[in-house]
Amino acid sequence: MNQALVLLAEQEAPKFIQFLKDEFGRKNPDEPVPTSDQVVAAWKQGLTTSLAKDDSWDANHPATSDAAKTTGD
Amino acid sequence: MKCLSRQLVGIIVCAVVIMCAQACANKMPPNLTPQAQHAFVNTQALKVLDLIRDVAVDGNASTPQVFTESSTRKIVAFHRSALKTIDAAGTGWSAAVQQGLEELGKDLPPSEQQVLQPYISLAISALKGFQ
């Protein structure tokens, strides 16, 4: 279990650090400022992609598989 | 010793989170329309909620599992529900999503709660910055 936690931490650390950099890091002043249309489009695209990942996980893990695993334990 | 180092990591994460959340409020690009301002904030929230969902999904896929399928299902369902709330509400969703995150944490088994808690704390602090 501890090994799994370490592996998970290793796996997630880059995402976590990237999130902090993206969200809170100092921006390059030469970086172009996004327009309103781009910001709205990014939100819509992000929402669609993110919900699709939820749906994909659900599709690959039907609710009945929980009961089967519990019985198996 | 392990407990102490976990507490230390928790304190460091919380300190970083609070500083980040406070810094976040000043980051919105200038000259955005009101609709784009909402979209900008929504995107920030989406990213932090995605982080929680991804930790759960990856932890569920690992061997041995860090998150059970049942817990991962709750987290994925919360994630979907939170995003739909954010999309539908436009504004005023932050408190509801924060409360949902707190309840989600309490609804997990202790070992899983311990793993997810730093991410939940990060999300709640970030969401407070969006209010």
Side-chain angles (χ1 to χ4, degrees):
Chain A
M1 182 65 178
N2 282 340
Q3 194 183 358
L5 278 175
V6 171
L7 285 173
L8 180 63
E10 282 179 358
Q11 196 174 357
E12 299 305 323
K15 290 182 194 172
F16 185 76
I17 292 165
Q18 190 59 47
F19 169 80
L20 293 178
K21 277 185 182 171
D22 287 349
E23 298 309 303
F24 309 117
R26 187 170 293 190
K27 296 288 181 193
N28 182 346
D30 296 333
E31 201 173 297
V33 177
T35 64
S36 290
D37 287 346
Q38 286 171 330
V39 170
V40 172
W43 158 241
K44 287 181 180 168
Q45 177 63 42
L47 179 67
T48 304
T49 306
S50 188
L51 289 176
K53 191 168 178 181
D54 288 342
D55 292 341
S56 167
W57 189 89
D58 278 344
N60 291 320
H61 300 80
T64 50
S65 64
D66 266 351
K69 281 197 172 177
T70 306
T71 311
D73 292 342
Chain B
M1 188 64 185
K2 274 184 184 173
C3 185
L4 184 66
S5 62
R6 276 185 183 171
Q7 283 178 342
L8 191 62
V9 169
I11 290 166
I12 292 168
V13 167
C14 285
V16 170
V17 159
I18 290 165
M19 287 188 292
C20 290
Q22 287 172 348
C24 178
N26 300 323
K27 235 179 57 60
M28 188 178 297
N31 303 326
L32 291 183
T33 63
Q35 187 197 9
Q37 288 175 10
H38 293 317
F40 180 85
V41 171
N42 291 356
T43 304
Q44 309 292 92
L46 177 139
K47 287 178 183 175
V48 77
L49 292 170
D50 276 2
L51 193 64
I52 291 176
R53 188 270 319 273
D54 290 346
V55 167
V57 166
D58 292 343
N60 174 249
S62 70
T63 307
Q65 286 183 337
V66 176
F67 293 96
T68 62
E69 205 158 301
S70 168
S71 297
T72 308
R73 181 163 290 109
K74 283 179 193 170
I75 295 164
V76 169
F78 168 78
H79 176 268
R80 179 187 293 111
S81 166
L83 289 191
K84 287 185 174 175
T85 301
I86 290 169
D87 187 37
T91 57
W93 46 260
S94 181
V97 175
Q98 285 175 52
Q99 189 182 354
L101 277 167
E102 283 171 5
E103 286 169 10
L104 176 69
K106 290 175 191 163
D107 201 24
L108 298 176
S111 61
E112 297 175 21
Q113 187 186 355
Q114 200 173 17
V115 176
L116 203 63
Q117 194 55 50
Y119 298 96
I120 290 178
S121 299
L122 169 72
I124 289 174
S125 297
L127 291 173
K128 280 181 181 164
F130 300 154
Q131 279 177 326

